[in-house]
Amino acid sequence: MKTKWIVLIVVALVVIIGYSTFKGAYNGMVQQEVAIDGAWAQVENQYQRRSDLIPNLVNTVKGYADFEQETLTAVIEARAKATSVSISADNLSPDAIAKFDQAQQGVSSSLGRLLVSVERYPDLKASTQFSQLQVQLEGTENRIAVERRNFNTAVQSYNTFIKIFPKNLIASMFGFEAKGFFKAAEGADVVPEVSFK
């Protein structure tokens, strides 16, 4: 009789410990996935801020009649393409992140060309409105970099969490999949050549 009670107590303890471990792992995955969703929302928020600044910047530049129309058109088209590419927080796969990032890099590239072109227009460069917009845009680019880093940190933590044994078994049972990172643009590791002529 005594042995029977010991076996029942041991079995009950194993069940309770197993349940606690399972519950903790599952809830941890859910919490980290929600943290990634929040980090992603902040990334989108900063890209939206940049997108909202672009029309004001373009309108300010348009006021200078001889400004290169092709440069303005490239900025407007890049913004339209970037705003048409959106990702649900439920689909943060590496491919989806890469597609989103590629569209955003098009905006960055065209804005860079616009800001370089401004150097040839001293009146525009001296414009207070343009200067304020340029400062806001630079601040937004910094915020984007910070939010992308925060997102990557959350993804790294989550991806590590779901790949560690025995959590990887629970993750595969409930469909928790690895999320994608923001990665440096291709060629970002090459030092640009600067030439002063």
Side-chain angles (χ1 to χ4, degrees), residues 13 37 46 49 52 69 71 83 110 115 130 145 152:
L13 284 174
D37 293 350
Q46 293 309 319
R49 176 181 162 78
D52 291 345
Q69 195 61 37
T71 305
T83 55
S110 63
L115 295 176
F130 180 79
N152 279 347

Side-chain angles (χ1 to χ4, degrees), residues 50 78 81-83 85 98-108:
R50 177 175 73 176
K81 181 179 178 188
T83 55
V85 176
K99 184 177 176 184
F100 179 84
D101 193 36
Q102 185 179 17
Q104 295 302 330
Q105 285 178 19
V107 174
S108 296

Side-chain angles (χ1 to χ4, degrees), residues 33-103:
E33 200 167 51
V34 169
I36 289 172
D37 293 350
W40 178 250
Q42 288 304 319
V43 168
E44 287 184 317
N45 182 34
Q46 293 309 319
Y47 277 119
Q48 183 63 50
R49 176 181 162 78
R50 177 175 73 176
S51 187
D52 291 345
L53 287 172
I54 290 173
N56 293 333
L57 187 65
V58 168
N59 287 334
T60 300
V61 171
K62 271 185 184 175
Y64 292 81
D66 58 342
F67 195 84
E68 292 106 12
Q69 195 61 37
E70 184 180 318
T71 305
L72 288 175
T73 303
V75 171
I76 293 166
E77 287 173 356
R79 178 185 180 265
K81 181 179 178 188
T83 55
S84 71
V85 176
S86 65
I87 305 175
S88 166
D90 297 334
N91 180 29
L92 295 173
S93 67
D95 290 339
I97 295 286
K99 184 177 176 184
F100 179 84
D101 193 36
Q102 185 179 17

Side-chain angles (χ1 to χ4, degrees), residues 88-158:
S88 166
D90 297 334
N91 180 29
L92 295 173
S93 67
D95 290 339
I97 295 286
K99 184 177 176 184
F100 179 84
D101 193 36
Q102 185 179 17
Q104 295 302 330
Q105 285 178 19
V107 174
S108 296
S109 176
S110 63
L111 279 173
R113 285 191 302 276
L114 174 73
L115 295 176
V116 166
S117 299
V118 166
E119 295 297 320
R120 292 183 287 234
Y121 298 88
D123 292 342
L124 176 58
K125 202 170 146 185
S127 163
T128 305
Q129 184 180 11
F130 180 79
S131 295
Q132 289 172 344
L133 286 168
Q134 191 173 10
V135 166
Q136 287 182 29
L137 196 58
E138 289 168 1
T140 299
E141 292 296 332
N142 290 335
R143 289 182 182 130
I144 288 170
V146 168
E147 295 304 339
R148 284 172 55 142
R149 184 187 68 226
N150 292 343
F151 175 79
N152 279 347
T153 300
V155 167
Q156 179 184 5
S157 175
Y158 169 81

